[in-house]
Amino acid sequence: MLLRIKEIYGKFRLKLITAATAIMGIIIIFNIYGTVTFNRISNDECIWLETKAGKDSVVFIFSNVKEGGVTWQAGIRDGDKLIAINGRSFSDDLEYQALINKMNEGDLAEYTILKKNQNETSKVKVEIKKLIIYSQFSLMLFAVILLFVSYITYLAKPEGLQQKLFFSSGLGIALLYVPNSIGNLSKPGFLAPVDPVFTILILIWLIIVSRLPFTIFHFFSVFPEPHAWTSAKNYKRILTGGWVAFFILNIFTSRPSFFYLSSEVEVKSLLFPLIFVFINAAFISGLFLLTITYVKNKDRAKRRPIFAILISFYIGIGGFIFSTVLVPIFGDVIYNSPEYYTPIILLVLLPIAFGYSIFRYNLLDVTVVLKSTLVYAAATLTLGVLYLASVYVLGQAVGGVVPIEYRTVISGMTFIFLALLFQPTKDKFQDLLTRKFFPVQFEIQQVILDFNQRLPQIVGFDTILDALEDIFKNRLQVNVCAILIAREGNRTETVRSCGADGKLSEDVFYHADNFASLIQQRYSAGEKPIIDQTTARLIFPNDNERLEGAGVYTILPLITNKKLIGFFLFGLSYTGKQFGGRDLELMITLANQTATSLENARLYEAEAEKVKMERDLELARKIQQGLLPAKIQSLGNLSVAGDMIPAMQVGGDYFDVIRVSDSKMFVVIGDVSGKGLSAALYMTKIQTLLQIACKADTTPAEILINLNNQLSRVLDRSSFVTMTVALFDSNKQTVRFARAGHTPLLIVDSEGARFEAPQGIGIGLDRGAIRFAELLHEVELPLMQNQILVFFSDGVSEALDDRGEMYEADRLSKIIRDSLLEPVEQVSQKVFESVRSFSGKAGQHDDITLVLVKPE
């Protein structure tokens, strides 16, 4: 549900914000108008000071009675106590005020007062004056100017943190004056103070306004440049926690109590005194932060716009302090001398100075959007007038020529024709305006159009990168640019750069979680995924200073199908300003197209590389198969069969049958750790060494020791070889064999099956070779008729089915024992078929090698 709300808000965000700004602006302007025009109240030219008279009662004491005023003329002096007016007593001064306001000017109000411990009655002439409360007038004027300045700033860059905070501050200050306009909601027939709806409205207003001081402080902490501590992990959490705590505090410190509102007067007098205290504190803190930024910044160009804001800030604060602190102490009250309070209007200088600095120095990327809005609005209005004029002229012309019964049809057709003509004419006119008034934007548009046309013809990852570099460096003349490509481990590699003086040549690392969170927030809010200098501190925490030093102002992620391809890094355009507004939107479009193009190029090259690799592997497989015995011949009464099925195109298993005389042959089976091409290359070398080492007068142990000596020098530390070498002698009817860590020799006959496993370790495990020879044992066994000697790799016994169970040697023994009387070729086929059937959907995970020797 929350996600759906975010999607709807993102879709209509600008419309909603525009509507909210317009409503807030109208409300404040209405309040200003009311303050200046309608604020006519009674004025008895004195002050009633509320004083506790008991536990549950109050008394009002006259103070600052103006000499010669209507109250003075009635004989009332400072220190007298008000008991009643027109015979009615109240505990709230607003109710007294409301009573007098109902009287006509010139009427006499009967004041009952306590004077020297005696009750007296005095007639006070009612005077109705048009009183301007300058503090309210100034603050409302401050709010409306700030609201519209911040709104225009937000339109320039809706995704920017500074722009968001500035607009939120302006809108929040505007919201402060909503209760002035809806304070009459408690009138009978609409909403009563006890209504739940009234309570909910007040709570919503309070939730938003309670955040305002923290939003103002957050804005000044990142404006015009972020302070270092704003990038701390807990900074935003602290602000959010403060907001929640302040909201709760406001509820419990309201006057009168928020929980006991029972009358219209109480509702209208409801105050949250801490709100303005905290807002003032936030502005004072902002002044302090802005002063620090100004003092620390030695760049005169950057100090100039800050100076204008600071001067207006100090003047406004001075006027505020003078009117709210000094005048009440040393001057008269506002009812008697309102002119003393006029300096507070100097507060209006602050939003004016903000607007001046922002528009004059393009502080928040607002110049482009302001200029384009005015130009396009004027153009659209002009075309609209021409369109209506054309409709009118043609209508009059048609009316004079066409008979009356056909005029309606002809007029309708004319209207449709002009409507169809209006849109393309408007588009062409806008293109002309763009070329005339916005050459940078027009150039970017042409670059993107050109890139779109060239895109189908651009083939290859590097070719696309070269084209992009040419666009940024030569055609757009960006002073600093770079293209980063995402690699493993949150690392990006700079593949192209310009104007950075080598500062972007090294890899740039990004924070994956912060990046994912930012992208999700931007997409949920319907915003563009732009990384400015403020958010760059979170995305590139370790390299942000290097990026700033290189002059990078804007970073655009290259994303396609929710996959990060890389980043575009930009400095300033050739106008010397950051990309913003419509120009930035076009650059985002270019980034999106580039991400898709680069990903397609990468997939194409990966597929091409895959095809090439498969072709190379197929060639390697054929070479490896060529190294295995093509046809195994019998030796005397010994029948031999064998085969090897690799798990991949090429494998690390190996077997060979090497005949060295008319009565002797070697049977060799081996397994290199690992699989694939590297294992097969080792086996190719082993086959060559074995062909040289196997001689009639050489023993299996000697051959293995020789292999270990030679291979230990070339095998990498993570590789080793297991192997069994057996020498068959058909004259002696014996077999001598040694085993270097390979699977045991399985001997199957009519009586059963047994394993022969003489001691030995794998080749390459003992680099010194001495330990290898000491541990290697060789045995000699007699050969018997109707027995089968089985040489196999662990790919047979450790084959897995889809449940994770292993094939095991027992299954192998049973198949061979059941087939003792069959030719060894058929027995070999049965074993391979059995293993394949056992693995089923699990597939083959290791090379499978089998050699059978059967004395007849």
Side-chain angles (χ1 to χ4, degrees):
M1 181 65 181
L2 184 60
L3 183 61
R4 179 59 179 163
I5 293 174
K6 286 185 177 181
E7 290 177 357
I8 294 174
Y9 171 74
K11 185 177 181 180
F12 300 101
R13 173 173 50 94
L14 287 178
K15 293 181 179 179
L16 290 172
I17 287 175
T18 300
T21 303
I23 292 171
M24 291 298 103
I26 292 171
I27 289 174
I28 300 175
I29 291 173
F30 173 77
N31 282 327
I32 293 174
Y33 182 72
T35 299
V36 175
T37 307
F38 300 113
N39 197 14
R40 299 174 61 84
I41 63 174
S42 63
N43 182 12
D44 58 2
E45 300 175 316
C46 64
I47 292 178
W48 305 331
L49 294 179
E50 182 180 325
T51 306
K52 284 281 185 180
K55 183 177 181 181
D56 298 318
S57 61
V58 296
V59 66
F60 296 97
I61 300 175
F62 288 93
S63 175
N64 294 85
V65 178
K66 184 178 181 180
E67 186 173 350
V70 292
T71 304
W72 177 279
Q73 294 174 8
I76 301 173
R77 300 292 183 266
D78 290 352
D80 295 345
K81 296 179 181 180
L82 177 63
I83 304 300
I85 296 180
N86 292 341
R88 301 183 64 183
S89 296
F90 301 103
S91 60
D92 193 315
D93 58 346
L94 292 178
E95 294 187 87
Y96 280 124
Q97 186 75 56
L99 179 63
I100 300 175
N101 287 344
K102 294 178 181 179
M103 301 177 68
N104 297 321
E105 186 170 8
D107 292 346
L108 295 177
E110 185 179 277
Y111 281 39
T112 302
I113 63 172
L114 181 65
K115 193 180 186 78
K116 297 180 180 179
N117 296 323
Q118 292 184 356
N119 287 348
E120 295 183 5
T121 300
S122 300
K123 301 290 185 177
V124 179
K125 183 180 179 181
V126 175
E127 281 194 356
I128 305 296
K129 289 187 177 182
K130 181 180 175 181
L131 180 65
I132 297 178
I133 308 298
Y134 286 101
S135 59
Q136 292 182 5
F137 173 76
S138 301
L139 292 173
M140 286 188 288
L141 197 59
F142 173 95
V144 75
I145 296 174
L146 183 63
L147 176 65
F148 288 113
V149 170
S150 64
Y151 171 71
I152 295 174
T153 303
Y154 179 80
L155 289 182
K157 196 175 182 182
E159 69 285 340
L161 177 61
Q162 294 176 339
Q163 287 81 355
K164 286 181 181 178
L165 293 173
F166 189 42
F167 177 70
S168 297
S169 300
L171 190 64
I173 291 175
L175 276 169
L176 290 173
Y177 298 97
V178 170
N180 289 351
S181 300
I182 63 173
N184 293 327
L185 289 179
S186 58
K187 286 185 176 180
F190 193 59
L191 286 177
V194 293
D195 283 348
V197 176
F198 178 83
T199 304
I200 292 172
L201 289 175
I202 291 295
L203 283 176
I204 293 174
W205 177 86
L206 186 59
I207 289 172
I208 298 173
V209 171
S210 295
R211 188 178 182 179
L212 181 57
F214 302 94
T215 302
I216 294 171
F217 179 82
H218 193 183
F219 169 71
F220 281 108
S221 70
V222 298
F223 176 85
E225 296 177 353
H227 290 268
W229 40 268
T230 59
S231 60
K233 279 186 177 181
N234 295 325
Y235 178 59
K236 290 186 177 180
R237 294 179 183 175
I238 293 172
L239 291 176
T240 303
W243 168 29
V244 174
F246 185 51
F247 165 71
I248 297 172
L249 185 63
N250 278 321
I251 291 179
F252 286 97
T253 58
S254 63
R255 294 187 309 186
S257 175
F258 181 79
F259 301 101
Y260 300 103
L261 296 177
S262 58
S263 68
E264 179 182 340
V265 174
E266 287 183 342
V267 171
K268 290 184 176 181
S269 63
L270 179 63
L271 294 175
F272 299 97
L274 291 182
I275 288 179
F276 285 96
V277 173
F278 274 65
I279 290 175
N280 291 337
F283 273 108
I284 296 298
S285 300
L287 176 61
F288 177 72
L289 293 174
L290 207 58
T291 303
I292 291 176
T293 302
Y294 178 81
V295 172
K296 287 186 175 181
N297 201 327
K298 303 304 180 184
D299 188 339
R300 295 183 64 184
K302 291 183 178 180
R303 294 181 69 173
R304 196 174 296 118
I306 302 176
F307 179 77
I309 297 174
L310 274 179
I311 290 298
S312 65
F313 217 141
Y314 280 108
I315 293 175
I317 292 293
F320 180 80
I321 294 174
F322 178 83
S323 299
T324 58
V325 179
L326 298 180
V327 172
I329 295 175
F330 301 104
D332 205 346
V333 296
I334 189 170
Y335 298 102
N336 297 336
S337 304
E339 64 277 4
Y340 290 172
Y341 293 81
T342 54
I344 197 172
I345 204 170
L346 293 173
L347 277 176
V348 178
L349 292 176
L350 181 57
I352 293 175
F354 260 107
Y356 170 79
S357 295
I358 288 171
F359 299 134
R360 174 68 177 82
Y361 300 103
N362 195 28
L363 276 185
L364 296 176
D365 307 325
V366 76
T367 304
V368 174
V369 70
L370 180 62
K371 183 179 178 182
S372 62
T373 300
L374 294 176
V375 170
Y376 286 128
T380 303
L381 180 62
T382 302
L383 284 176
V385 171
L386 292 175
Y387 171 71
L388 294 175
S390 301
V391 171
Y392 175 78
V393 171
L394 284 176
Q396 293 296 319
V398 169
V401 178
V402 179
I404 190 169
E405 62 268 21
Y406 300 111
R407 287 179 184 177
T408 303
V409 177
I410 298 298
S411 298
M413 294 175 62
T414 304
F415 182 82
I416 295 173
F417 171 75
L418 290 175
L420 294 174
L421 187 65
F422 177 74
Q423 186 59 41
T425 304
K426 175 174 171 288
D427 294 340
K428 291 181 180 180
F429 191 44
Q430 284 191 348
D431 288 341
L432 178 64
L433 290 174
T434 303
R435 179 184 298 184
K436 178 68 176 176
F437 293 97
F438 310 104
V440 178
Q441 182 176 322
F442 182 78
E443 177 67 15
I444 293 174
Q445 289 177 344
Q446 296 307 307
V447 167
I448 293 175
L449 291 174
D450 179 63
F451 186 77
N452 285 335
Q453 294 173 359
R454 293 171 54 196
L455 192 58
Q457 289 78 39
I458 299 177
V459 179
F461 200 87
D462 290 332
T463 309
I464 295 174
L465 295 176
D466 291 338
L468 289 167
E469 184 179 18
D470 175 66
I471 288 171
F472 298 144
K473 184 177 180 180
N474 300 322
R475 300 189 62 181
L476 296 181
Q477 300 180 23
V478 181
N479 71 330
V480 173
C481 65
I483 304 173
L484 310 184
I485 299 299
R487 305 300 187 194
E488 293 182 357
N490 301 337
R491 179 178 67 90
T492 63
E493 178 186 357
T494 304
V495 293
R496 296 290 187 279
S497 66
C498 63
D501 297 330
K503 294 180 181 179
L504 299 176
S505 58
E506 298 180 1
D507 293 345
V508 177
F509 291 84
Y510 65 96
H511 194 292
D513 292 339
N514 290 351
F515 175 74
S517 177
L518 174 69
I519 295 301
Q520 183 180 3
Q521 290 174 7
R522 292 284 165 84
Y523 283 157
S524 298
E527 298 174 349
K528 303 297 183 182
I530 301 171
I531 303 173
D532 54 20
Q533 285 190 319
T534 303
T535 51
R537 294 172 176 266
L538 300 175
I539 308 302
F540 305 98
N542 298 325
D543 295 295
N544 182 60
E545 291 186 6
R546 181 155 60 96
L547 296 179
E548 289 184 353
V552 174
Y553 287 91
T554 305
I555 300 175
L556 303 179
L558 307 178
I559 301 175
T560 180
N561 294 327
K562 298 182 179 180
K563 178 183 179 182
L564 178 65
I565 307 300
F567 296 95
F568 276 167
L569 275 60
F570 296 117
L572 304 176
S573 65
Y574 72 85
T575 61
K577 298 179 179 179
Q578 300 181 36
F579 287 97
R582 176 63 177 164
D583 297 340
L584 189 57
E585 290 181 5
L586 295 173
M587 296 300 283
I588 293 171
T589 302
L590 179 59
N592 294 335
Q593 295 170 345
T594 299
T596 302
S597 300
L598 289 176
E599 179 64 4
N600 290 340
R602 186 192 66 79
L603 292 175
Y604 175 81
E605 292 183 0
E607 185 63 25
E609 185 65 26
K610 180 181 178 182
V611 171
K612 181 177 180 298
M613 178 65 73
E614 289 178 348
R615 187 169 57 246
D616 293 344
L617 289 174
E618 180 62 21
L619 178 61
R621 186 190 69 79
K622 292 179 179 179
I623 293 173
Q624 186 182 35
Q625 290 294 324
L627 297 175
L628 300 177
K631 183 177 181 181
I632 302 175
Q633 296 181 350
S634 300
L635 180 68
N637 67 329
L638 301 178
S639 298
V640 185
D643 200 359
M644 190 272 286
I645 302 177
M648 305 172 69
Q649 286 94 332
V650 290
D653 278 13
Y654 167 77
F655 82 95
D656 205 350
V657 178
I658 304 170
R659 189 167 181 168
V660 293
S661 72
D662 293 338
S663 60
K664 291 183 179 181
M665 70 175 179
F666 283 96
V667 173
V668 182
I669 184 171
D671 184 3
V672 177
S673 58
K675 297 181 289 293
L677 190 58
S678 61
L681 292 174
Y682 282 129
M683 271 305 169
T684 303
K685 185 175 184 65
I686 290 170
Q687 195 260 2
T688 303
L689 293 174
L690 282 170
Q691 292 289 340
I692 297 173
C694 291
K695 298 178 181 178
D697 58 349
T698 307
T699 66
E702 291 173 344
I703 292 172
L704 289 172
I705 292 172
N706 183 33
L707 280 175
N708 184 69
N709 291 338
Q710 296 190 58
L711 291 176
S712 294
R713 295 193 295 266
V714 297
L715 285 172
D716 60 68
R717 290 288 177 181
S718 61
S719 298
F720 62 93
V721 181
T722 65
M723 183 175 289
T724 294
V725 177
L727 176 59
F728 287 85
D729 190 329
S730 60
N731 289 339
K732 295 181 179 180
Q733 288 294 297
T734 59
V735 58
R736 297 178 64 184
F737 78 97
R739 186 178 68 96
H742 199 69
T743 53
L745 171 63
L746 175 62
I747 301 175
V748 181
D749 54 27
S750 57
E751 296 181 359
R754 71 180 190 276
F755 287 101
E756 291 291 340
Q759 188 175 343
I761 63 174
I763 297 171
L765 294 177
D766 177 30
R767 303 286 169 164
I770 297 176
R771 186 68 175 163
F772 179 86
E774 291 177 351
L775 295 175
L776 186 64
H777 290 180
E778 184 179 275
V779 297
E780 185 174 11
L781 301 172
L783 298 175
M784 308 293 291
Q785 287 186 345
N786 293 327
Q787 88 178 168
I788 296 179
L789 288 79
V790 185
F791 300 88
F792 64 96
S793 66
D794 56 8
V796 176
S797 57
E798 296 178 2
L800 299 174
D801 65 5
D802 53 5
R803 295 173 298 178
E805 296 182 1
M806 289 196 297
Y807 185 79
E808 300 288 0
D810 292 342
R811 214 180 292 265
L812 175 62
S813 302
K814 185 178 184 307
I815 291 178
I816 294 176
R817 189 168 63 251
D818 293 342
S819 310
L820 279 176
L821 300 179
E822 297 178 17
V824 288
E825 291 81 2
Q826 294 183 13
V827 178
S828 176
Q829 290 178 4
K830 282 187 175 181
V831 172
F832 280 111
E833 290 175 0
S834 174
V835 173
R836 190 180 302 110
S837 176
F838 175 82
S839 298
K841 295 181 181 179
Q844 183 180 340
H845 298 286
D846 199 359
D847 304 333
I848 299 175
T849 305
L850 179 72
V851 180
L852 304 179
V853 180
K854 179 181 180 183
E856 300 291 350

